[in-house]
Amino acid sequence: MLLTITTAYKPATDLGYIMHKHPDKLQSFDTSFGKMHVFYPESSEERSTIALLLDVDPIALVRNHKGPSGEGFALEHYVNDRPYVASSFMSVAISKAFRSAMSGTCKDKPYLVDRVLPLEVTIHVLPSRGGEAFLRSLFEPLGYQVELKRYELDSSFPQWGMSRYFSVTLRNDLRMKDLLAHLYVLIPVLDNDKHYWISEHEVQKLEEKGSGWLEQHPEKEQIIKKYLKNLGAYTKLAMSRLSEEEAMEDTEDDLSVDDKLKKEKSISLHQQRLNKALDELKLSGAQSVLDLGCGEGKLLKLLLKEKQFDRILGMDVSYRSLEIAKDRLNYERLPQKQREKLRLIHGSLTYRDKRLKGFDAAAVIEVIEHLDLARLTSFERVLFESARPLTVVITTPNAEYNVKYESLSAGAFRHSDHRFEWTRAEFEKWASGIAAKYSYEVRFEPIGDWDDEVGASSQMGVFKIKN
Ligand code: SAH
């Protein structure tokens, strides 16, 4: 992880006073997550740059229980994006390396503290699941000019599409201590590691560092929520391990207490989806079913209880979710008959897969919105052209309903891993197009509380193959 701050303020060598770091020296510090180095790649009267390089050591993370932890050995603890991503660790490093500049003290030239400087920051790299729009929405309201470079997942396989990683350059005229406060708060907001723990101390720090700018920021709510989640990660990463399912449950996390209470009054929206899908599968007369993107296996659990189904296959791209599913279904202790009818497989819905052929029905519950739009065509072919079950049930959020969730800011998605959320018209157009193309009929059903104007919270399409 590398952060550079450049100024063309004259004389630019004043940067050394402002940062309390001598331009001729390389300084290195040990931290519990690796080493950090501060140095000046350039220093002249015209232009000076200070760099903060963080050399995160994934092995030290595991040893010091700051990284994804758990019992025994798992490669994920050692091989993860922590060393390369400007995560919460960068925030901690900024506050350590530039403590005086952050608190606005400058012994030798105190007047520099309040001077508005032309500053340019570059960060390699920042993760942003919310993509470019989310990144911009954090910095632009504070007056930054934002330049982004998004990286491919793998340049040898351009068809895999783009990653969530960006190199970011920010330009603005402001005081150094304000710049550092913005970075300190906003970098962890972008960090997506879900292991978190919130202490009073974190809340206090946020209040302190956010004072004077966060109050008016249009994304204030998102920033507070995400900051508290992600920075806490630094201390309590070891508490639990990341899984897609935790990510899934964040949908609920992302809602305010009020929204949550409203939801708890009735049976949860997700339970309603599962029940509706189950009803459709039963009604279809299917005996063999696929649960595609099965997650931690909530639907599988319901399917297993039904005598009607004698062959059930759950598939997910997340190995971790499958492990959780196995655990929650008590797979090892299931009576032999039940165990024989259930199979869990690891695979992606965007690759043709022979194992999915020969089933009567398929459920795809809250999964399509996790796929990149560019990958949807592959998904359609995998399911409707290759696997070709007689019945397909697909559910997805209804974006129109988002206005009813008071805590969701306009245009935001219900969950940070969603790549899109569709209105009823958008979903219906997509689904009808597929039905026509692959010779299915489709009908639509609302799921959850109904509102005359925006419809229901979730939507379902039920496809039947034409004879
Ligand atoms: N259907 C489950 C889980 C929904 S969460 C339920 O209703 O409870 C979305 C799930 O889709 C996650 O478990 C995620 O791992 C999975 N997923 C995302 N992309 C996928 C892909 N390309 N292939 C298979 N599963 C995928």
Side-chain angles (χ1 to χ4, degrees):
M1 277 181 270
L2 177 67
L3 171 110
T4 59
I5 304 175
T6 300
T7 187
Y9 168 80
K10 301 264 166 23
T13 39
D14 270 355
L15 192 61
Y17 293 102
I18 299 171
M19 305 311 277
H20 275 236
K21 294 278 173 290
H22 198 286
D24 295 339
K25 270 208 275 189
L26 162 73
Q27 299 191 30
S28 298
F29 311 83
D30 279 317
T31 73
S32 57
F33 46 84
K35 270 193 178 328
M36 58 185 195
H37 311 280
V38 179
F39 57 98
Y40 287 77
E42 60 180 334
S43 175
S44 71
E45 299 272 310
E46 280 69 46
R47 225 176 113 90
S48 282
T49 298
I50 188 165
L52 174 58
L53 175 70
L54 215 51
D55 191 7
V56 170
D57 174 0
I59 295 175
L61 284 185
V62 177
R63 227 178 10 238
N64 297 327
H65 303 294
K66 298 267 186 331
S69 169
E71 309 332 313
F73 174 81
L75 203 55
E76 179 202 345
H77 306 162
Y78 297 90
V79 184
N80 53 55
D81 68 0
R82 298 291 92 189
Y84 316 107
V85 171
S87 66
S88 312
F89 300 124
M90 181 52 101
S91 249
V92 178
I94 290 174
S95 68
K96 281 199 175 181
F98 305 138
R99 191 191 319 251
S100 312
M102 257 190 120
S103 63
T105 39
C106 181
K107 260 203 320 254
D108 297 324
K109 299 190 176 186
Y111 59 90
L112 286 174
V113 168
D114 283 318
R115 192 134 301 175
V116 170
L117 312 163
L119 296 174
E120 180 181 308
V121 181
T122 300
I123 309 163
H124 304 286
V125 295
L126 277 173
S128 174
R129 288 203 184 219
E132 177 170 345
F134 185 57
L135 248 168
R136 287 189 185 281
S137 77
L138 295 182
F139 289 100
E140 284 179 348
L142 298 167
Y144 290 92
Q145 195 196 328
V146 180
E147 203 179 291
L148 301 172
K149 176 171 184 254
R150 188 171 192 164
Y151 293 97
E152 283 175 330
L153 267 178
D154 188 324
S155 52
S156 327
F157 300 96
Q159 68 274 23
W160 289 2
M162 302 308 275
S163 71
R164 60 171 187 270
Y165 300 114
F166 294 81
S167 279
V168 180
T169 301
L170 307 165
R171 292 187 191 86
N172 202 358
D173 293 334
L174 75 175
R175 299 181 304 183
M176 182 60 80
K177 69 173 185 190
D178 294 334
L179 171 78
L180 295 174
H182 295 161
L183 295 176
Y184 178 86
V185 172
L186 296 177
I187 288 175
V189 168
L190 286 159
D191 191 350
N192 234 310
D193 208 307
K194 286 292 188 305
H195 317 265
Y196 58 86
W197 171 76
I198 301 163
S199 68
E200 264 303 302
H201 186 53
E202 300 296 351
V203 180
Q204 241 175 34
K205 267 199 292 200
L206 178 62
E207 273 174 9
E208 192 185 298
K209 301 287 184 320
S211 140
W213 60 276
L214 188 53
E215 298 88 343
Q216 300 86 31
H217 197 294
E219 296 296 331
K220 179 175 148 196
E221 237 184 274
Q222 289 284 332
I223 293 172
I224 294 175
K225 234 171 355 204
K226 297 215 156 102
Y227 169 92
L228 289 176
K229 263 189 197 179
N230 295 333
L231 190 73
Y234 158 62
T235 37
K236 282 283 163 111
L237 269 169
M239 293 272 285
S240 63
R241 283 161 54 178
L242 177 65
S243 78
E244 283 287 334
E245 183 52 31
E246 281 164 4
M248 169 75 192
E249 279 169 3
D250 273 5
T251 317
E252 307 279 319
D253 269 17
D254 286 350
L255 302 175
S256 72
V257 175
D258 265 5
D259 288 339
K260 273 196 206 157
L261 284 176
K262 270 187 221 152
K263 289 179 111 231
E264 276 165 14
K265 268 198 240 143
S266 54
I267 112 170
S268 87
L269 174 61
H270 197 57
Q271 198 57 47
Q272 291 182 53
R273 287 185 194 115
L274 298 173
N275 292 347
K276 267 208 132 154
L278 180 68
D279 287 348
E280 287 297 338
L281 294 171
K282 284 202 303 202
L283 273 173
S284 75
Q287 290 182 306
S288 52
V289 272
L290 295 165
D291 182 4
L292 303 175
C294 61
E296 67 167 23
K298 289 182 182 151
L299 182 64
L300 293 173
K301 195 165 196 166
L302 302 178
L303 292 170
L304 267 176
K305 286 190 191 142
E306 301 290 334
K307 288 219 175 67
Q308 177 180 335
F309 306 119
D310 55 23
R311 204 152 56 92
I312 304 167
L313 182 114
M315 176 166 119
D316 205 285
V317 75
S318 154
Y319 192 75
R320 179 74 192 134
S321 292
L322 291 170
E323 280 184 338
I324 296 176
K326 227 171 158 181
D327 240 31
R328 299 226 171 139
L329 293 167
N330 240 329
Y331 184 79
E332 303 300 344
R333 264 164 282 152
L334 282 179
Q336 194 176 352
K337 251 191 152 169
Q338 296 237 24
R339 197 161 34 164
E340 277 170 3
K341 63 182 187 181
L342 174 68
R343 236 182 112 199
L344 293 174
I345 63 168
H346 188 212
S348 171
L349 281 169
T350 50
Y351 293 93
R352 200 173 282 254
D353 195 326
K354 279 198 214 117
R355 297 172 296 181
L356 306 182
K357 286 193 186 196
F359 283 81
D360 299 329
V364 193
I365 309 302
E366 305 296 288
V367 174
I368 58 169
E369 63 278 7
H370 291 265
L371 305 175
D372 278 329
L373 273 172
R375 312 291 294 149
L376 265 189
T377 326
S378 316
F379 160 71
E380 292 160 27
R381 297 190 60 186
V382 168
L383 182 54
F384 291 92
E385 188 179 81
S386 167
R388 255 189 118 57
L390 308 177
T391 303
V392 176
V393 180
I394 298 183
T395 74
T396 192
N398 164 20
E400 292 162 83
Y401 196 87
N402 288 356
V403 294
K404 306 290 270 177
Y405 294 122
E406 283 147 24
S407 59
L408 265 191
S409 42
F413 292 154
R414 293 184 200 181
H415 183 267
S416 52
D417 193 46
H418 285 177
R419 309 299 158 94
F420 60 87
E421 283 174 3
W422 277 336
T423 62
R424 285 166 293 172
E426 284 168 329
F427 177 53
E428 289 172 18
K429 183 168 168 226
W430 173 78
S432 308
I434 293 181
K437 190 161 168 197
Y438 298 103
S439 212
Y440 279 77
E441 274 163 8
V442 62
R443 70 184 154 78
F444 301 96
E445 301 271 346
I447 302 172
D449 291 340
W450 175 264
D451 177 90
D452 280 341
E453 218 168 291
V454 296
S457 175
S458 206
Q459 46 188 341
M460 173 168 77
V462 183
F463 299 76
K464 299 270 176 196
I465 207 162
K466 283 191 193 163
N467 293 320

